[in-house]
Amino acid sequence: MKKIGVIGLGNMGMGIANNLIKSGFSVIGFDLVEKRLKELIENGGTAATNTVQVGNESDAVFVMVMNGKQVKSVVSDLVTGLKDRGTIILTATITPEEAVEVYSIASSNGVAMLDSPVSGGMDGAHNGTLTLMTAAKKSDFENCTRILEAVSSNIFHVGENIGEGQTVKASLQAFIGATFTSIFEALVLGSKAGIKGQILYDVFSSSGVGSPLFKNCASLIMDRKFKDTGSHISTMYKDLGISLGMAKNNGVPLFTAGAAYELFQAGISMYPDEDNWSIVKLLEKISGTKVEW
């Protein structure tokens, strides 16, 4: 496979495209935002005029759009060009059921598919260090190994059934979402009680909960960076909704993830154009404090 397509050139998709180019692949991409197409060309890729063209000119295509409805529309276009020869690599986060529906479209047209949602955020996408949780037939997975290695340093074949990749991702997002809101609350609590942010950061970082996730989250909050950090609040809100839907389908109570979802609901209502960390501003208003260094 020499020519790779990327549909959706936002923070994540552009990072994937750039790393594919760096690894020697010929890349063609499409996005509805014109400036992203221009950026792809500047980085050495080719801009398509529509998704059908991407399918016609690619051997495999990454799909990194926002929701299941968009994925279905994109895949329906792609299969006309990929028919009986190509592969779709689904890196978008959608429900397991939606992934199965999309696979039925692909397989009925003789197109292979990898259900491969990602974790690692914008930094992971641009640094080529994403974690991939890939469900696919073993042969399809192995055929795409070199492509996946161009964008990921942590590739997990989580199963052969399409939908299992999304299932792992939904479980992970329940964990990450609840962790985020715990961090927000802990920092606001310490700040309101009179402790400087630097002390909270140093102690938390050195404890058992110290992690890259905490350090990045706390630093952005204390630097008061609430926009354009690559983690838009709508994405986690959507992902937590998927986690809760999966929990309902499986009869599993998610007490902490449910509370996190409600906090994200409040946050997206107040700060719809900002990133995850903006939720801390809501808690600050309620508590009458400000988290800063």
Side-chain angles (χ1 to χ4, degrees):
M1 294 182 183
K2 299 274 181 141
K3 193 157 190 176
I4 311 300
V6 180
I7 304 294
L9 297 169
N11 290 324
M12 303 296 289
M14 189 65 75
I16 287 172
N18 289 342
N19 280 298
L20 288 166
I21 293 168
K22 291 175 184 176
S23 295
F25 291 102
S26 176
V27 175
I28 181 170
F30 178 71
D31 195 282
L32 295 175
V33 179
E34 185 66 28
K35 68 177 183 180
R36 294 175 181 170
L37 296 175
K38 292 179 179 178
E39 182 180 346
L40 177 64
I41 293 171
E42 291 170 357
N43 293 338
T46 300
T49 56
N50 52 56
T51 53
V52 173
Q53 181 186 352
V54 175
N56 288 336
E57 299 185 20
S58 302
D59 298 303
V61 181
F62 284 85
V63 177
M64 182 57 91
V65 293
M66 186 64 179
N67 56 49
K69 183 179 180 180
Q70 292 173 352
V71 170
K72 292 175 191 176
S73 176
V74 167
V75 169
S76 295
D77 286 343
L78 288 176
V79 294
T80 61
L82 294 172
K83 188 174 178 64
D84 296 326
R85 65 174 186 84
T87 301
I88 289 170
I89 303 174
L90 175 61
T91 48
T93 298
I94 59 178
T95 70
E97 293 78 14
E98 287 170 331
V100 172
E101 289 179 40
V102 171
Y103 180 56
S104 69
I105 298 172
S107 60
S108 64
N109 285 276
V111 178
M113 180 173 136
L114 275 60
D115 170 25
S116 187
V118 307
S119 184
M122 182 174 68
D123 287 344
H126 286 268
N127 294 328
T129 58
L130 289 169
T131 293
L132 302 184
M133 46 214 90
T134 308
K137 294 178 182 177
K138 188 174 181 181
S139 58
D140 293 336
F141 175 74
E142 292 175 345
N143 287 339
C144 292
T145 298
R146 181 168 168 258
I147 299 172
L148 300 179
E149 288 175 345
V151 304
S152 171
S153 60
N154 301 289
I155 304 169
F156 296 92
H157 187 210
V158 301
E160 296 211 0
N161 299 314
I162 297 298
E164 290 178 338
Q166 300 297 337
T167 298
V168 175
K169 179 64 183 287
S171 302
L172 176 62
Q173 292 304 83
F175 184 16
I176 292 177
T179 301
F180 276 149
T181 53
S182 293
I183 291 170
F184 302 155
E185 291 179 345
L187 291 175
V188 170
L189 174 62
S191 174
K192 177 65 175 182
I195 305 299
K196 291 182 178 180
Q198 184 69 62
I199 293 175
L200 296 173
Y201 179 89
D202 291 342
V203 173
F204 290 8
S205 295
S206 299
S207 74
V209 299
S211 66
L213 184 148
F214 167 74
K215 292 176 182 178
N216 179 63
C217 176
S219 295
L220 290 169
I221 290 169
M222 293 186 204
D223 288 339
R224 313 305 289 178
K225 293 181 179 178
F226 299 113
K227 294 186 71 173
D228 302 321
T229 67
S231 295
H232 197 278
I233 192 171
S234 63
T235 302
M236 180 56 73
Y237 175 66
K238 180 261 296 185
D239 289 357
L240 281 171
I242 291 173
S243 301
L244 292 173
M246 192 174 83
K248 181 179 180 180
N249 291 340
N250 287 276
V252 176
L254 295 184
F255 298 108
T256 53
Y261 181 75
E262 292 302 323
L263 261 179
F264 271 87
Q265 171 68 77
I268 201 170
S269 296
M270 293 190 67
Y271 308 105
D273 299 321
E274 298 190 11
D275 294 348
N276 295 330
W277 340 117
S278 63
I279 292 174
V280 84
K281 293 191 290 183
L282 168 63
L283 298 174
E284 289 173 338
K285 285 184 178 181
I286 295 172
S287 305
T289 189
K290 187 176 182 180
V291 180
E292 52 192 346
W293 296 107

